[in-house]
Amino acid sequence: MAFTARLAALTMTTMIAAQEAFAQVNSPQGSGPILGAVNWVRGTMEGGIATAVAVIAVAFVGFMMLTGRMNWKHGITVIVGCFILFGAATIVGGIQMAARTAG
């Protein structure tokens, strides 16, 4: 009997938690915490701290390449990575636009 009572309590708790997911507007069902985490990561990656770190990284890599202490291939990889990181939203928007016009 204890197992049945625990199962019923767990089912009720799950149903109550599911009602909060149904109450969300403009987001897929149950995506509230996931969407919040993704937005936090995006804000962190595009925020002021990330920009400052990227500027320092590009300056450091550029200095290392100019003084001959770093391979040019590795240095350019870092710089292109920064462009991709900060231009990701524009790149995805362009891909989505191309997919809409092609279809």
Side-chain angles (χ1 to χ4, degrees), residues 15-103:
M15 290 174 64
I16 291 170
Q19 287 180 351
E20 294 177 11
F22 288 129
Q24 294 176 1
V25 179
N26 296 331
S27 63
Q29 176 183 349
S31 69
I34 296 169
L35 189 59
V38 169
N39 285 334
W40 177 82
V41 169
R42 180 177 175 216
T44 302
M45 289 175 58
E46 294 178 349
I49 295 173
T51 304
V53 170
V55 168
I56 292 169
V58 170
F60 182 74
V61 166
F63 179 74
M64 295 289 283
M65 288 183 341
L66 288 175
T67 58
R69 295 179 184 157
M70 179 179 273
N71 184 358
W72 280 82
K73 184 178 178 181
H74 295 328
I76 291 174
T77 302
V78 170
I79 295 170
V80 169
C82 289
F83 280 117
I84 291 172
L85 177 67
F86 290 109
T90 306
I91 293 168
V92 170
I95 291 170
Q96 288 177 342
M97 180 84 67
R100 281 188 214 130
T101 58

